[in-house]
Each structure stands twice: as structure tokens, then as C-alpha cells.
Amino acid sequence: MTGFDVTELDVTEFDVRPADGRTLHAYDTGGTGRPVFWLHGTPNVGAPPEPLFPAARRLGLRWVSYDRPGYGGSTPHPGRRIGSALPDVTAVADALGIDRFAVFGHSGGGPHALACGTSDRVTAVVSAAGLAPSDAEGLDWFGGMAESGVASLEAARRGPAAKAAHERFAVVSDPGFAPADLAALDAEWGWFGKVVGPATEDPGGLIADDLAYVAPWGVDLAAITAPVLLLHGGQDRVVPPTHGAWLARALDAELRTYPEDGHISVLTHADAALAWIRDRS
């Protein structure tokens, strides 16, 4: 990685126990900055995004995050839906004494970030390369998606057993990355190696995520009151840009499309999105 010294980072890890007795493993960069929750993709653990630490420091922001249930140090939450993210985020915020906060979700974290936008405690929502609902009217949900992604999510549609079997036997030869993604992964976004590896040691979190993506979200999009910014790469074959366009229309949200970028490299534009958050927090 380039551009910053990870030895200067100060991330505190701790556990939160919601009322139902589960454990949520959480992370906090601390300080007095405006809090922004990082909602991670699939499959990742929830450590906050080190490549965005310099921008957060410059803009006076504080990263908070957690492992979604079934990942890392967070216990599973059977039957969880996209809408389950809001009470979990709220539990972490309450444990830290945080009243109002923004949310930033990437990839599979995008829908979870949108779910949080229904709370009046949320000041702003960013969804980067995020999925639209699988029942989105008028959207060819699989259109433009890499074959590996289609196979994985089709298996989830067939239910938990089929999805678990898929994870045991699937071989992914083409994850859908664009050339710009590979360049980003060779540079500072190689950080993803630190959060993908631990997340794939147990497929439980990934399976729960994919089951949630293809099921009803349990989120009323019309109830999202926080301002929403959508980022999408025009070359994204993991989550095609048609998803971002559909969400922009459904939410009357701002959409920033980057024609040459893909699923990972869209995050090279995240600094501007963080400034957008700062101006609304």
C-alpha cells in the first residue's frame, strides 16, 4: 500500500452485545471527528478502510464499523435481512455514545447502508457499487453481471442448502473485475486482502449475505429520509451500473458514474464522497 503509514493508525476493537444476546465485533478509530460507519462488502470482515484514513483525518471524520453477523468476531444471526443492519449499527453507536452519524457502504454494504437511511439519526448515506433490491421493478437484476456472480446468487435463490453446496464446490475464474480494479488492487486497495482472507475462513457470513440480497430486504425505500449519494463504475460486472441507475431513480438520489471504473476502483473517488458526507453532517 502507498500514500499513508499504517503504523500511525489507532483502531480500537471491542464487542457489543445487543439485547438478543448476540455478539457484534466492532471497530473505532476514535477521536472527536464526525462519525461515519463503514459497512463492508461480501465477503469481508468489518475493519474500517485504511486507504480512506488520510481523507477522514483531513476532513475531520471518525471511522466506526463492525463485522456483520457470521463474519469475524460477530456471532451468526439466522434469518437476518438487509434491514437487520439498522438495529446492529444502532447498538454499536449506542455503545459508543454516538447520537448522529453517517454511513458509507461498499458493494454488499451498500444495501445495508441504505437500510440505515431510514433512521433520523443518520445524516447522510453513501452507497458505492451497491446492489438494488432483487425484486426491483423494471430492472434486469442479473443483466451485465459476471457469470460467477450470477451462479452464486442463483444458488442463494434456491435456498440455504443450495447456497452452501455452491460455496463448497464453486471455482471462480472470473470475478468480474475491470482492468482499473486490478490496478487499484495492485496499489492501495490491495488492503482488501486483509479483510477478505479472514472472511473466507468460514463461509457462514457470505452465505447469510447472499441469502439476504435475493430475499425481500425488509426496508421501505420510501422511508429513506437521509440524503443519498450513489457511486458506480461504468465497467462494473460484479454489480452492474444499472443497479445504481435504478436506485438513483427510486430514491431521487445523486448518482456519480465513473465510466472507466469497476467494482473496486470506484473507491478511488471516495475522498470526494467523504467531503460530501462532511458537508451534510
Side-chain angles (χ1 to χ4, degrees), residues 25-26 35 57 71 81 113 133 135-137 163-164 223 228 230 256-257:
H25 187 69
R57 285 197 296 265
Y71 285 109
R81 299 194 290 174
D135 57 357
E137 185 175 355
K163 176 60 183 172
V228 176
L230 305 166
R256 298 179 184 175
T257 302

Side-chain angles (χ1 to χ4, degrees), residues 22-119:
R22 291 180 293 115
T23 296
L24 295 173
H25 187 69
Y27 309 78
D28 178 22
T29 60
T32 59
R34 299 180 176 106
V36 181
F37 270 80
W38 170 256
L39 300 179
H40 65 82
T42 304
N44 297 176
V45 294
E50 291 177 3
L52 299 181
F53 279 24
R57 285 197 296 265
R58 186 175 67 252
L59 294 166
L61 303 176
R62 165 189 180 184
W63 285 112
V64 183
S65 58
Y66 72 105
D67 300 334
R68 269 197 303 279
Y71 285 109
S74 293
T75 51
H77 183 188
R80 67 174 167 90
R81 299 194 290 174
I82 299 300
S84 304
L86 176 55
D88 284 352
V89 167
T90 301
V92 176
D94 287 348
L96 291 171
I98 294 171
D99 181 25
R100 290 173 62 75
F101 50 90
V103 290
F104 190 127
H106 173 243
S107 187
H112 295 90
L114 293 176
C116 295
T118 61
S119 170

